[in-house]
Structure formats: structure tokens, C-alpha cells
Amino acid sequence: MSLLRIFPSRVVAWYMARMFLVRTFGITFTLVLILQALDLLSETGNILGVPGNGQTEVLRYVSLRAPQITAFALPFSVLLGTILTLITMNQNSEIVALKASGLSAHQVLAPLLIASLGVAIFSFGFNERVVARATATLEAWKRVDYRALPIDRGDRTNVWVREGDDLIEVTRITGRGDAARLTGIVIYDREGGSLRSTISAPDGVRAGDGWRIAPAERFDVATGRLSALGSIVVARGVRPDQFTLATVNADGLPFRALRSAIRDLDDAGRPTQALESALWHKLSGPFSSVLMPLLGAVAAFGIARSGKLFIRAVIGMALGFGYFVADSFALAMGNLGAYPPFLAAWAPFLLFFLIGEAVLIRTEE
């Protein structure tokens, strides 16, 4: 199909796309202002409760939180912008004029679909370049209770690793591979779910297939006796990547970095299903903007004088919000391992695409 058949009138197509984009980003701006104000009500006390924090830190929080709120609100805004645009055109009999000129329902919606594709591309780029970095910085700032952030040298803190029945807690890991160095090691020696003893040491380095820690101390739970062990090798078979790859924040990593982390975890034999779901959702989430004009299209067709325009708008909003509920549910099931990662990210999109097409064809085509 040629572009001439999709857009018989370039003027009409630009008019509809401009109306849609103005309303979408206007609603986005309004939602961000409201949600940011509500968020500040709950967080300002925590920020200003730290000695030395003031207006600068509050503004810094806003600069880090606003991108997250924008990414959250944009798909909703596309849905509301679609419904508002189509309701306005329906009330002004513009949809009737377009239909009378021989355009099909899909041709009427084509300018909005193309514009929403541009919004989806913008959303993906915005998430990759701005939201991921802001999320990583904000999470790190929250971990230190809004105090001064330490210099990030790629270290990992408060890492837990399981070795059989035993648990290993490490306060900080610096370096990677065989050059990794552990600080603040505590090994919880368990048998049958019961704690028998703990072994602690301030420092540890790689030694063969294990870790040499010193000076080590052993606390026996049964006797309550503390004994010095000196320098010993523990945790044989525990690889360095089990410490350095212990925590991966999917929201704080862009698509390529998350894919690389998943590959490293998979090579190390670690579970990656939840991260794979989040990886696919980084594509399906922004691309959901393309679905919104189709779900909101029910508000475009039908005679406005019949008194059912409001009901049609409610149906469009119900379909859109139903998609967001299904998307959250499927992603949760993917994180739990009940759904395959690809299905968890894309099944709601495909399901509601079919529902939107069925409603559109049933009512108009």
C-alpha cells in the first residue's frame, strides 16, 4: 500500500498528528507536575532530615525523580491524548467528513499510529539515555539515606552468596575476576537449616579455587566459644563472578548493558529469567504507545448526537487501563518464573492488539 493511499490528504494527516502530539505532551506535563508534587510531599522530609541538606538536594531529587515519573506517565498520556483528540474530532463532525470522503477506519487512525510510533521511539531513547542513569543514581542515593554519595568505583556492597547450606555475607567487593578483594566477610556455617557456627574476617583474596581470609575467627553457637583461626582458605568452588554479579538493577541499566549482564550471569550459571523479562519489557513498554490509538479508537466512531460518545470514551479508557493491568500482571508472572520472559513482556501487547482490531472491525469496518 502506497503512502498516498494511507494518507490521501497530507494536510489532514499533519493536522491530526499535531493535535494528538500537543494533547499527549500537554497531558504528560500536567501529570508529571501533579505526581512530582505528591512524591515530594512524602520524600522532602527524608531529604531535609539529613544535616546539611537543603534546597539544592531537593532540586537534585526532582531532577532524578522526574524522568522516572515521565516514563511512567507517557503511555497513559498517549491513551488520554488519543481519546481527547478523537472525541474533539467526532464532536466537530470531522470524523464523519473523513468517513464520507471514503476513508476507512484504519486510514483515519493512520496519522495517530505513525505519530505514536514516533512517541515510542522517543520514549525508548529517553529511557535509555536519561531514565536508566537517573534511576541508578537515585537508588544509590537512597541507599545512603540521601547523604553524600561515595565515589562509584564499580564496587559492590552488602552481597550475599549461597554455598550449599552455608551463607556468605560480604560487606564490600572491589575489583573483578581473580583480582577481586573481599572486605567484611562473615560465613554462616549451617547444617540442616540450623546455624552451627560463624567464621568472620576483615579481608579476603582469591586463592586457587577458594578464598583466603585473615585474620579469621570462629564463633561456635553451641558452646559460645570464640577462637582465632589465623589465615584460612574457605568457600572453595565459589567463583568471583558470584560476588561481583550478585545484584543487577534492571531499571538502572540501559538495554545493551542489561543484555551484557544477563549474558555474564548466564555464563556463571545464575538464574536470569526475571532480568530477561525486564530486558524484553524495555522494548514492549515504550512500544505500547503504538497500541493506544487502536484501543482509544472506539471513541472516534459513532454519531456524537446519539449520546453514547461518553460511553465510548469510557470504553476506550477501560481498554487502555486494562492493558496496563495485564502488562503489570504478566511482568510479575515473568519475574516469578510462571511465564517465559518473551511471553511476559509481549503477550499483553499482542492480546490487546487483537482486541483493539476486533473492536474496530466489529464497530466500523
Side-chain angles (χ1 to χ4, degrees):
M1 181 179 292
S2 65
L3 290 177
L4 185 61
R5 293 182 61 188
I6 296 176
F7 303 124
S9 173
R10 183 180 300 178
V11 175
V12 173
W14 172 245
Y15 166 75
M16 292 181 64
R18 182 179 59 184
M19 184 187 303
F20 164 73
L21 292 174
V22 169
R23 282 161 173 74
T24 295
F25 285 105
I27 294 173
T28 302
F29 180 75
T30 303
L31 287 178
V32 170
L33 284 182
I34 295 173
L35 295 176
Q36 182 67 82
L38 294 175
D39 184 66
L40 278 177
L41 290 176
S42 62
E43 289 295 329
T44 302
N46 298 329
I47 298 172
L48 297 180
V50 178
N53 283 0
Q55 182 180 355
T56 302
E57 284 69 28
V58 173
L59 293 177
R60 182 187 184 190
Y61 175 81
V62 171
S63 68
L64 296 174
R65 189 72 175 99
Q68 293 180 334
I69 297 175
T70 302
F72 169 78
L74 189 56
F76 295 95
S77 302
V78 174
L79 173 65
L80 297 177
T82 297
I83 294 175
L84 185 58
T85 299
L86 296 178
I87 285 179
T88 302
M89 295 185 66
N90 198 348
Q91 288 178 328
N92 295 335
S93 299
E94 293 170 311
I95 298 294
V96 175
L98 293 175
K99 293 285 290 180
S101 67
L103 296 185
S104 67
H106 287 87
Q107 285 178 305
V108 172
L109 293 178
L112 273 61
L113 292 171
I114 298 300
S116 64
L117 178 61
V119 173
I121 295 173
F122 165 79
S123 178
F124 177 76
F126 181 73
N127 291 344
E128 290 289 290
R129 302 298 299 177
V130 180
V131 178
R133 298 178 181 180
T135 299
T137 303
L138 184 58
E139 290 299 322
W141 197 22
K142 284 184 176 180
R143 283 197 295 268
V144 296
D145 297 325
Y146 300 113
R147 293 180 172 85
L149 277 172
I151 298 176
D152 185 9
R153 297 184 174 87
D155 300 346
R156 300 291 186 269
T157 59
N158 299 325
V159 175
W160 291 78
V161 173
R162 184 170 183 173
E163 181 195 18
D165 289 337
D166 299 343
L167 293 176
I168 305 173
E169 178 189 7
V170 179
T171 303
R172 181 180 295 275
I173 301 98
T174 58
R176 297 179 65 86
D178 291 337
R181 186 178 185 89
L182 312 181
T183 302
I185 309 107
V186 180
I187 302 175
Y188 298 90
D189 183 13
R190 303 190 306 170
E191 183 176 358
S194 300
L195 182 64
R196 296 192 308 172
S197 63
T198 63
I199 300 175
S200 59
D203 296 295
V205 294
R206 186 71 168 157
D209 64 342
W211 298 85
R212 182 174 299 279
I213 61 175
E217 293 181 335
R218 177 187 176 91
F219 175 77
D220 191 280
V221 175
T223 62
R225 180 178 299 176
L226 184 65
S227 56
L229 302 179
S231 176
I232 60 172
V233 177
V234 297
R236 295 188 181 275
V238 176
R239 303 179 305 276
D241 57 72
Q242 291 182 257
F243 292 106
T244 56
L245 297 176
T247 55
V248 175
N249 181 13
D251 294 333
L253 293 175
F255 184 86
R256 290 185 178 180
L258 180 57
R259 185 174 59 181
S260 177
I262 291 174
R263 189 181 300 113
D264 293 340
L265 287 170
D266 186 63
D267 292 340
R270 304 286 296 280
T272 61
Q273 191 163 10
L275 293 177
E276 289 178 19
S277 299
L279 179 70
W280 284 114
H281 196 260
K282 285 183 177 290
L283 296 176
S284 65
F287 203 69
S288 65
S289 297
V290 182
L291 190 62
M292 296 302 111
L294 190 62
L295 298 180
V298 68
F301 307 105
I303 301 175
R305 294 189 300 273
S306 65
K308 296 182 179 180
L309 184 59
F310 177 74
I311 297 177
R312 286 175 171 269
V314 171
I315 293 174
M317 287 189 288
L319 287 173
F321 284 101
Y323 164 77
F324 294 119
V325 173
D327 183 59
S328 299
F329 176 80
L331 190 60
M333 291 297 99
N335 292 337
L336 294 175
Y339 290 176
F342 182 85
L343 185 65
W346 287 102
F349 180 90
L350 297 176
L351 173 62
F352 277 82
F353 173 79
L354 295 176
I355 292 175
E357 280 289 342
V359 172
L360 185 61
I361 293 174
R362 179 67 179 83
T363 57
E364 273 302 308
E365 298 290 7

